[in-house]
Amino acid sequence: MAKQPAKPSHGASSSKGEKTAKAGTEVQYVPPTTGILSALPSSWVPYAELIRLHQPHGIYMIAFPHLVGLMYASAVLEKPVPPSVLANRAAILMVWTFFWRSAGCAWNDNIDQDFDRQTARCRNRPIARGAISTASGHVYSLFLVLAALAPLWFYLAPECTWAALVSVALAMIYPFGKRFTDFAQVILGSTLGSTITLSAYSVGLPALSPPFVVPTLCLSATVMLLVVFYDTVYARADTVDDLKSGVKGMAVRYRHNIEGLFVALTAAIVALLVALGVVVGMGEYYYAFAVVGLAASLMTLVAMTRWNLLPSWAGSSGWMYAFAIANLVTGFGIEYCTRVAVI
């Protein structure tokens, strides 16, 4: 989890505390003078920067699989989940999401501090610039993990905590992935995809037992591929620096055929969603939004990439990805609402 929003080792630059630099150029760190960071005591600022407190859009990236998982489970359970219970589970999972994402950022920046010093947009991060020591970073990460697990342990079924521990373990492995494989994005995607099981268990769906194991795995794989898609597009901005520092990744490996990769990912996502719909008997609105709507949004992004209209995630491209996710949630949401209305 980690990169903000999707690739923790090369997350989006902050407003003044983490200034963008040209490769090979030293930029002096400037304490933030605007935004939430400027309102904090100076001694707190590095720790707030480390968890990307000033970049909340990363939380949305981590939260979407949980929302998708909740809506999926609510749509396929024989007895639909009451809206009040659904809202309660969503609130608990948001607390977990905030602290889990924060722990992932802190852990990733600590492990990647040497890489960050060689990357223009990352070299002024707190650990990379020496504002937080390596030891303090690890203690902080441990505290954040415990804070993330606490609401699951106290308020949800035991299966939720066990599923969360799998996600935590995958998040710890992720920053090492770029050292030995070109497919670190798959590890990141698997980390977020695993939370489908956590979310499903939170509302009582036996996600990994028949007859739900196949559709659950299809949805987990879908989320994994969506994250791979997002992170690979985002990572294109760091390709030059990654080639110099030796960081591996799919954006580097497929830099000469990136559009073909995106088309293949979109086709695989569509196939998985269709398979899920067939197995659980989804209705026409699911296919219209979760399959066709999502695919159209992703293909629009592919076209924007092909025509060099995708300079950053700050503009319409980021919103287009959000629109793709919104279609996925809407497809499950309408199924849920239809079943609730019948009762």
Side-chain angles (χ1 to χ4, degrees), residues 230-285:
Y230 177 86
D231 195 60
T232 302
V233 175
Y234 188 89
R236 293 173 71 239
D238 292 326
T239 299
V240 173
D241 285 335
D242 287 350
L243 286 169
K244 291 178 180 178
S245 61
V247 173
K248 296 178 180 292
M250 295 176 69
V252 173
R253 182 183 179 110
Y254 296 103
R255 61 190 181 278
H256 300 305
N257 190 26
I258 200 74
E259 295 86 2
L261 172 64
F262 293 151
V263 170
L265 289 173
T266 302
I269 288 169
V270 168
L272 287 166
L273 290 173
V274 169
L276 183 157
V278 170
V279 171
V280 300
M282 288 294 187
E284 59 185 10
Y285 289 109

Side-chain angles (χ1 to χ4, degrees), residues 1-3 5-8 58-69 96-97 100-101 104 163 166-168 170-171 174 185-199 216 219-228 230-231 321:
M1 197 179 32
K3 174 174 186 181
K7 185 182 177 185
I59 297 176
Y60 312 147
M61 175 67 181
I62 306 301
F64 98 78
H66 298 82
L67 180 58
V68 170
W96 142 263
T97 296
W100 182 50
R101 180 255 187 169
V166 172
S167 300
V168 169
L170 289 170
Y174 168 67
Q185 283 82 10
V186 175
I187 301 175
L188 176 61
S190 299
T191 302
L192 297 185
S194 66
T195 62
I196 294 295
T197 301
L198 162 61
S199 302
T216 298
L219 187 56
S220 296
T222 295
V223 170
M224 183 267 288
L225 294 178
L226 282 169
V227 174
V228 169
Y230 177 86
D231 195 60
Y321 185 84

Side-chain angles (χ1 to χ4, degrees), residues 201-215:
Y201 275 128
S202 75
V203 291
L205 182 77
L208 297 181
S209 300
F212 301 112
V213 60
V214 171

Side-chain angles (χ1 to χ4, degrees), residues 10-220:
H10 300 300
S13 56
S14 73
S15 56
K16 289 189 180 180
E18 186 176 297
K19 298 184 71 176
T20 301
K22 293 181 179 180
T25 302
E26 294 298 329
V27 173
Q28 184 67 34
Y29 171 76
V30 178
T33 57
T34 60
I36 188 171
L37 296 182
S38 65
L40 299 176
S42 58
S43 60
W44 294 15
V45 170
Y47 291 93
E49 290 176 327
L50 189 58
I51 65 171
R52 315 290 199 271
L53 187 63
H54 53 305
Q55 297 173 331
H57 46 286
I59 297 176
Y60 312 147
M61 175 67 181
I62 306 301
F64 98 78
H66 298 82
L67 180 58
V68 170
L70 283 176
M71 298 312 301
Y72 152 71
S74 301
V76 301
L77 276 169
E78 183 176 350
K79 183 178 180 180
V81 181
S84 59
V85 174
L86 198 59
N88 172 267
R89 300 301 187 267
I92 293 172
L93 291 175
M94 276 304 298
V95 175
W96 142 263
T97 296
F98 174 80
F99 285 107
W100 182 50
R101 180 255 187 169
S102 298
C105 290
W107 170 258
N108 191 88
D109 281 12
N110 216 351
I111 300 302
D112 274 358
Q113 58 183 284
D114 292 334
F115 284 143
D116 285 348
R117 294 186 187 103
Q118 301 176 59
T119 303
R121 295 184 298 107
C122 305
R123 58 173 58 109
N124 275 327
R125 289 180 174 177
I127 296 178
R129 70 173 189 265
I132 297 176
S133 69
T134 299
S136 295
H138 284 316
V139 172
Y140 191 38
S141 298
L142 177 60
F143 165 78
L144 292 168
V145 168
L146 294 177
L149 292 173
L152 307 184
W153 177 264
F154 288 110
Y155 297 109
L156 299 181
E159 293 89 347
C160 295
T161 300
W162 290 112
L165 288 172
V166 172
S167 300
V168 169
L170 289 170
M172 293 180 67
I173 294 171
Y174 168 67
F176 297 102
K178 61 182 70 69
R179 291 162 169 79
F180 61 80
T181 178
D182 292 320
F183 300 95
Q185 283 82 10
V186 175
I187 301 175
L188 176 61
S190 299
T191 302
L192 297 185
S194 66
T195 62
I196 294 295
T197 301
L198 162 61
S199 302
Y201 275 128
S202 75
V203 291
L205 182 77
L208 297 181
S209 300
F212 301 112
V213 60
V214 171
T216 298
L217 292 178
C218 284
L219 187 56
S220 296

